[in-house]
Amino acid sequence: MGDKPETLITDGVRLDGRKPKDMRALKIVAGFLENADGSCYLECGSTKVVAAVYGPRQVHPRHATLFDRALVRCKYDMAAFSTDGNRKRPGPDRRSREISKVSSEALSSVVFTEAYPRTAIDVFIEIIQADASTRVNGLTAASVALADAGIPMRDMLVALSFGKIYGTQDGKPAEVVAVDMDKPEDNWGLADVALAYMPNLERFVLCQMDGRLTHDEFRDGLEMIKKPAQELYKLQKEALRKKYKG
Ligand code: CDP
C-alpha cells in the first residue's frame, strides 16, 4: 500500500470515480464448483471470493456434535496470492479465526439448524483476491452457496460495508459516509462498518466496526446501504435462478 492520499473523496467523487452511495461492480455466479454441494463465485470490484458448502453431513470430530441442531462451521481464508504485498502468509491467523467465528455465528442464525440435528454444515470462504470488504462479500457468497446446496434458510444473508472517508468539498475539508469500502478507504478511512442482514426479515446478524462514527453518521450509513443491499439480494436471486432454470 502506498502513502496516505491527501483526499479519498473530492466534491463527492471517490478515488475510483464512485459516488458515496455506489457499490463497486458486482457479479454473482451460483454453482461455481462441481465438487461441493453448493457454491458461489462473487466479485465486488477487485475483491473476488469463492464459497463452498458441504453438508448436512456427519460431524467430525464426533464430540462436536450438537444433538438438537446442525453445527454450522465457517472457515474464512485469504489465499496467499490474494494480496499485492507480503502481508499474507498462508494458513490461519488471528484475523481469519475471528472472521471465521463471526461468520459461523451469522450463518447459523439464518439456517434452520433444528431441521438437521447431529449433522455438520461446513462453509468454506476463500478470498482469492482481496481489495477490502472481504468478510461481508464472503458472507453474501456463502448465503448463495447455502441456498445452492438446498439448505433451508429463514432468509438470504446480504452483507456489505460502509464507512467514513475524509476529503474535500468545495475546497474545504469534509468527512463523508460512503458504502462498500475498497482497500485505500479501508486502510486510510476514518471508520468502517461490516454488516450482514436478512433482507426480508430485516434482522441484522453481524455488525462490526473500526474507527469512530457519530449516531447520525451511523444512521446515515444504515440508510445508505438499503438500496445496494436490495440490489445485492436481487443479484443473489438471479444467480440462483440462472443455475436452476438455465
Ligand atoms: O476484508 P475486510 O474489510 O473484511 O477485513 P479487514 O481486516 O478490514 O481487512 C481489510 C483489507 O486489508 C482486506 O480486505 C485486504 O485487502 C487487506 N489485508 C491484507 O492485505 N492482508 C492481510 N493479512 C489482512 C488484510
Side-chain angles (χ1 to χ4, degrees):
M1 188 99 250
D3 292 336
K4 184 173 176 172
E6 236 168 74
T7 170
L8 290 168
I9 184 161
T10 308
D11 294 329
V13 182
R14 294 153 81 174
L15 289 183
D16 63 358
R18 283 185 291 158
K19 303 234 168 68
K21 288 181 179 169
D22 294 343
M23 298 281 289
R24 291 170 283 178
L26 292 163
K27 179 178 172 179
I28 303 182
V29 181
F32 182 70
L33 303 170
E34 277 186 15
N35 293 337
D37 295 326
S39 59
C40 174
Y41 170 74
L42 180 148
E43 271 178 27
C44 176
S46 22
T47 288
K48 300 184 180 181
V49 183
V50 178
V53 168
Y54 294 85
R57 62 184 182 182
Q58 200 167 28
V59 186
H60 292 290
R62 296 286 281 276
H63 66 77
T65 306
L66 301 174
F67 290 93
D68 57 346
R69 61 191 191 277
L71 175 66
V72 178
R73 293 186 288 209
C74 179
K75 187 169 173 288
Y76 163 103
D77 181 59
M78 267 175 70
F81 52 81
S82 62
T83 63
D84 49 4
N86 302 318
R87 278 181 67 197
K88 179 67 191 116
R89 292 199 182 155
D93 52 18
R94 258 174 67 152
R95 175 178 169 278
S96 63
R97 281 198 190 95
E98 175 218 315
I99 298 177
S100 297
K101 180 178 185 290
V102 294
S103 300
S104 299
E105 287 165 2
L107 294 169
S108 296
S109 48
V110 284
V111 171
F112 282 113
T113 53
E114 58 278 21
Y116 301 103
R118 297 189 208 98
T119 67
I121 297 170
D122 288 310
V123 183
F124 297 91
I125 294 173
E126 194 67 28
I127 308 302
I128 55 176
Q129 192 165 279
D131 186 14
S133 303
T134 60
R135 76 191 66 202
V136 285
N137 285 304
L139 279 170
T140 301
S143 122
V144 173
L146 282 166
D148 181 36
I151 291 172
M153 295 189 282
R154 294 182 167 75
D155 201 344
M156 289 297 277
L157 206 57
V158 168
L160 65 176
S161 66
F162 74 85
K164 183 166 71 165
I165 51 180
Y166 61 84
T168 57
Q169 180 71 41
D170 304 322
K172 292 193 193 112
E175 294 181 352
V176 182
V177 175
V179 302
D180 184 24
M181 299 287 98
D182 62 18
K183 184 83 188 299
E185 294 174 337
D186 182 286
N187 248 41
W188 309 116
L190 305 165
D192 64 87
V193 180
L195 291 173
Y197 95 119
M198 302 191 216
N200 293 297
L201 297 175
E202 296 191 344
R203 267 183 54 198
F204 285 90
V205 294
L206 174 93
C207 178
Q208 294 187 290
M209 178 165 141
D210 258 346
R212 284 179 175 203
L213 291 172
T214 64
H215 282 119
D216 284 347
E217 288 164 345
F218 194 82
R219 260 184 234 118
D220 288 349
L222 286 184
E223 200 50 45
M224 219 181 238
I225 60 143
K226 275 189 184 162
K227 213 171 148 218
Q230 283 305 323
E231 174 66 11
L232 261 177
Y233 179 44
K234 201 172 135 221
L235 286 175
Q236 288 177 315
K237 286 189 291 188
E238 278 171 14
L240 287 160
R241 256 188 225 118
K242 194 164 175 199
K243 156 129 193 238
Y244 287 98
K245 287 197 174 161

